[in-house]
Amino acid sequence: MSQRLIELLLDALTETLAMVGVSGLLATLFGVPLGILLLVTGPGHILPRPLFNRIAGLVVNATRSTPFIILMVGIIPLTRALVGTSIGTAAAIVPLVIAATPFVARQVEAALREVDPGLIEAAQAMGATPLQIVAKVLVPEALPGIAVGLTITVVSLIGYSAMAGAVGGGGLGDLGIRYGYQRFQGEVMAAVVVVLILLVQGVQSLGDGFARRLDRRHRAAEPRR
């Protein structure tokens, strides 16, 4: 592998990590509260708001069902208004956040649904408020599942960030398109694929390990019967 190729890979990897890191953090900040709201505002739950739940669910489903490449192109005016450009790493973060936020929300909602309803009923019987139930029952009990969902989200973001390279988003995908595809440099394309595979494997292993640790702590904290 030539020195030039190594430099290109390191630069592209840095851009990819920046895109995935920032968009993953923002998607988590927006998606976790949204996922909680999707659950607790549902029919028969602790804070039923049918109209809000229906509208939020429709928006989340519509965004999730839109192919990322179409979403990225469709919101170019919004991206340009927010970051001043429609190409590059900063521009790619906008559609990545919009695509990942509803995904995080559904992952969080699914994890929260696994919480034993008996725990919620016990908390309500003791006079806990909806906020207390969320903070002290739902989220702590669902943490391992939420960690798994966030890991899946980050892995998906790596794939989305590579796809963003097709429209000048920067990162490993852009490197593969410009050098591997357009200039017919097969070794560049192969190197990009290998780095992406290693990156996904690393993220998946770290996320699985963190989720297992949370699960062990949760089980250790459970009262013995």
Side-chain angles (χ1 to χ4, degrees):
M1 185 180 293
S2 68
Q3 182 67 27
R4 175 59 176 164
L5 178 54
I6 293 175
E7 292 175 356
L8 288 171
L9 281 172
L10 288 176
D11 289 343
L13 178 60
T14 301
E15 291 179 351
T16 293
L17 291 176
M19 281 190 289
V20 173
V22 174
S23 59
L25 177 61
L26 292 175
T28 300
L29 291 175
F30 298 142
V32 171
L34 179 57
I36 293 172
L37 287 174
L38 284 172
L39 178 77
V40 301
T41 60
H45 218 277
I46 60 175
L47 198 65
R49 297 291 187 277
L51 180 59
F52 170 84
N53 186 268
R54 192 175 302 113
I55 294 174
L58 287 173
V59 172
V60 166
N61 291 339
T63 306
R64 287 187 64 196
S65 62
T66 304
F68 177 71
I69 193 70
I70 295 176
L71 175 67
M72 189 171 186
V73 173
I75 64 168
I76 283 177
L78 174 62
T79 301
R80 190 178 291 117
L82 290 175
V83 299
T85 180
S86 60
I87 60 174
T89 303
I93 290 174
V94 177
L96 285 173
V97 172
I98 293 176
T101 296
F103 190 81
V104 171
R106 287 302 189 191
Q107 293 288 335
V108 170
E109 182 189 14
L112 293 172
R113 286 191 185 280
E114 297 299 318
V115 176
D116 185 358
L119 296 175
I120 300 173
E121 294 172 2
Q124 288 176 316
M126 290 187 290
T129 65
L131 182 59
Q132 290 173 327
I133 293 173
V134 169
K136 297 183 178 181
V137 179
L138 284 173
V139 172
E141 290 289 325
L143 269 181
I146 292 174
V148 171
L150 293 179
T151 300
I152 295 172
T153 301
V154 173
V155 169
S156 298
L157 279 172
I158 294 173
Y160 288 160
S161 70
M163 198 182 305
V167 288
L172 291 167
D174 182 56
L175 177 63
I177 293 292
R178 286 192 295 115
Y179 287 85
Y181 177 72
Q182 294 178 349
R183 302 186 186 184
F184 303 102
Q185 297 181 11
E187 69 277 9
V188 176
M189 184 67 78
V192 166
V193 171
V194 170
V195 172
L196 284 171
I197 291 174
L198 292 175
L199 186 57
V200 167
Q201 290 295 329
V203 168
Q204 189 69 59
S205 297
L206 287 174
D208 289 345
F210 185 59
R212 284 195 297 269
R213 184 175 301 178
L214 286 174
D215 192 44
R216 285 197 297 268
R217 288 180 181 177
H218 170 69
R219 292 179 185 276
E222 286 182 345
R224 296 183 181 274
R225 293 181 175 84

